[in-house]
Amino acid sequence: MPQPAPTPNPQTPNPAATIPIDLDPALTESSPVLQRWLKQVPNVLTDIRRDPSFRTRLRLGYSQFPSTRQAGGVHLGIEDIFVGRSGLTLSADYQTAFNGTREAWGADLRYYVRPLGSIINVAPVIGYRHLATTRYTTDGVHVGLRLLLVPSRTGAADLALTQSWVAPGSEAEVGLTTLSFGYALTHNLRLSTDLQKQNSRFRSDSRVGIGLEWMF
């Protein structure tokens, strides 16, 4: 009679798992990533989902206001300061025309509802904003929604569309539609552009911006 094959002992260690990897000690000491992998193989998929696909950015650039006799100006700000490892970020900006006909400033909180490493993300926006033109001045609560598309991670390239309102529900309500695009020139420096429409019951205004961003 044929004898049954012996059942493997579950207590027997896998020889392949106990074979040490022969690496140059200098290479191991100079590579934090290699040290981490030798200690414990990470969950790469989880890391990608948690690691932000975009970075905090300091902005400075030139603004053109086509609806205000092509006035020129400047804009500056900081985008997406992360609050811990959550999806909550803080942003603030200031923009003005050199001739004083346009001015805007404010600060916002954004909460990205999807994992920070996602290619597509959505964030409700809430904050405060002040707007001033030759026809009106508005300030108050700023609320809206931001859609972020990241075709290339860690700030290399992204596209954002934001629809928001200042002082919603009041006679002074102003709607803002902003389309932004950024493209990296180096690891820390990138080129950015902005197209913005500003609509109120008094008039419709526009702004076009181009500038540089320093990524942290």
Side-chain angles (χ1 to χ4, degrees):
M1 296 292 292
Q3 297 296 322
T7 303
N9 186 353
Q11 302 298 324
T12 303
N14 183 358
T18 60
I19 297 176
I21 301 176
D22 187 15
L23 294 174
D24 185 352
L27 176 62
T28 304
E29 292 177 4
S30 63
S31 175
V33 174
L34 186 55
Q35 293 173 20
R36 180 186 175 195
W37 276 72
L38 289 174
K39 184 179 296 184
Q40 181 179 0
V41 177
N43 188 325
V44 178
L45 181 59
T46 300
D47 286 351
I48 290 175
R49 289 173 60 85
R50 292 179 178 176
D51 186 40
S53 59
F54 55 98
R55 295 159 63 184
T56 300
R57 307 169 304 284
L58 184 65
R59 312 182 69 208
L60 176 64
Y62 173 81
S63 283
Q64 187 86 15
F65 301 91
S67 62
T68 314
R69 299 183 179 180
Q70 297 294 336
V74 65
H75 66 268
L76 56 92
I78 190 162
E79 295 280 319
D80 291 318
I81 302 174
F82 292 95
V83 180
R85 295 291 293 177
S86 69
L88 185 65
T89 70
L90 173 66
S91 300
D93 73 289
Y94 175 79
Q95 53 188 254
T96 186
F98 295 134
N99 61 11
T101 56
R102 293 278 297 276
E103 184 183 50
W105 52 267
D108 295 311
L109 288 172
R110 302 167 181 165
Y111 186 78
Y112 292 92
V113 298
R114 303 198 66 217
L116 291 177
S118 301
I119 295 177
I120 299 176
N121 220 321
V122 178
V125 177
I126 185 167
Y128 177 87
R129 194 154 190 84
H130 169 87
L131 303 171
T133 72
T134 55
R135 295 286 299 275
Y136 64 88
T137 298
T138 298
D139 52 21
V141 175
H142 182 219
V143 297
L145 192 67
R146 178 180 176 87
L147 174 65
L148 179 65
L149 175 64
V150 186
S152 186
R153 294 173 55 85
T154 64
D158 57 48
L159 178 71
L161 176 63
T162 305
Q163 179 61 54
S164 59
W165 295 266
V166 181
S170 70
E171 292 186 357
E173 177 181 315
V174 177
L176 296 172
T177 304
T178 308
L179 180 65
S180 304
F181 175 74
Y183 183 82
L185 303 175
T186 69
H187 178 69
N188 292 109
L189 188 68
R190 75 177 195 168
L191 182 68
S192 67
T193 59
D194 297 299
L195 302 174
Q196 187 176 71
K197 290 289 292 183
Q198 181 173 307
N199 298 307
S200 74
R201 67 188 186 93
F202 301 103
R203 61 177 292 172
S204 178
D205 290 294
S206 57
R207 182 181 71 87
V208 178
I210 184 169
L212 295 173
E213 295 182 339
W214 182 262
M215 297 183 292
F216 296 94

